[in-house]
Amino acid sequence: MAIHFPVRRWQDEVILLLGLWLIIVPMVLGYPTNAPITINAYICGALIAAIAAFDLYKSYAIAVIINLLVGLWVSVSPWVTALADRGPMMGTCVIIGVAVMALGMWELRSDPELHRQWIGGKPG
């Protein structure tokens, strides 16, 4: 039995890939597995990917909003916690965080089901 996802949720597919990339990128860039920036990337990447995967199955505005907040954290975490050394991981966090937020906002604005939930309707 195949699961078919609506085309309108392509943002969730991209967000899922960004979450997975955030998990993988510290290894690609050679950061130690116990470095704070790596642990932050693992946790945030797993959250982003899991929420996006869930959102592909059943879309809830709250799931998109949580991913927006995690994306915001990812984008500012290098400065807030002084995790980054102004190296490639810092830029990666900023790009992924901003991309997750932009895609989440786009999805909230363009998906009629999410829009109904956002303005107080019941989930479909």
Side-chain angles (χ1 to χ4, degrees):
M1 178 163 107
I3 298 174
H4 298 284
F5 300 117
V7 174
R8 69 173 188 233
R9 296 213 178 110
W10 66 268
Q11 295 96 335
D12 289 320
E13 294 171 359
V14 176
I15 291 170
L16 174 63
L17 293 174
L18 288 170
L20 294 174
W21 178 246
L22 190 56
I23 294 168
I24 296 168
V25 76
M27 292 177 277
V28 171
L29 296 176
Y31 281 79
T33 57
N34 62 348
I37 191 77
T38 303
I39 295 167
N40 186 61
Y42 290 161
I43 293 169
C44 292
L47 279 170
I48 290 169
I51 292 168
F54 171 78
D55 208 30
L56 280 168
Y57 171 70
K58 181 67 177 163
S59 196
Y60 287 101
I62 191 68
V64 178
I65 292 166
I66 291 169
N67 253 351
L68 284 169
L69 294 173
V70 177
L72 175 63
W73 170 252
V74 169
S75 65
V76 300
S77 64
W79 291 282
V80 173
T81 60
L83 294 175
D85 58 359
R86 306 276 189 246
M89 195 62 197
M90 180 181 182
T92 300
C93 286
V94 171
I95 291 167
I96 289 175
V98 169
V100 167
M101 289 188 301
L103 290 165
M105 288 187 287
W106 186 348
E107 185 178 6
L108 279 174
R109 292 286 299 157
S110 64
D111 188 327
E113 182 181 337
L114 292 176
H115 192 256
R116 281 192 303 276
Q117 292 174 33
W118 181 251
I119 61 171
K122 294 184 180 183

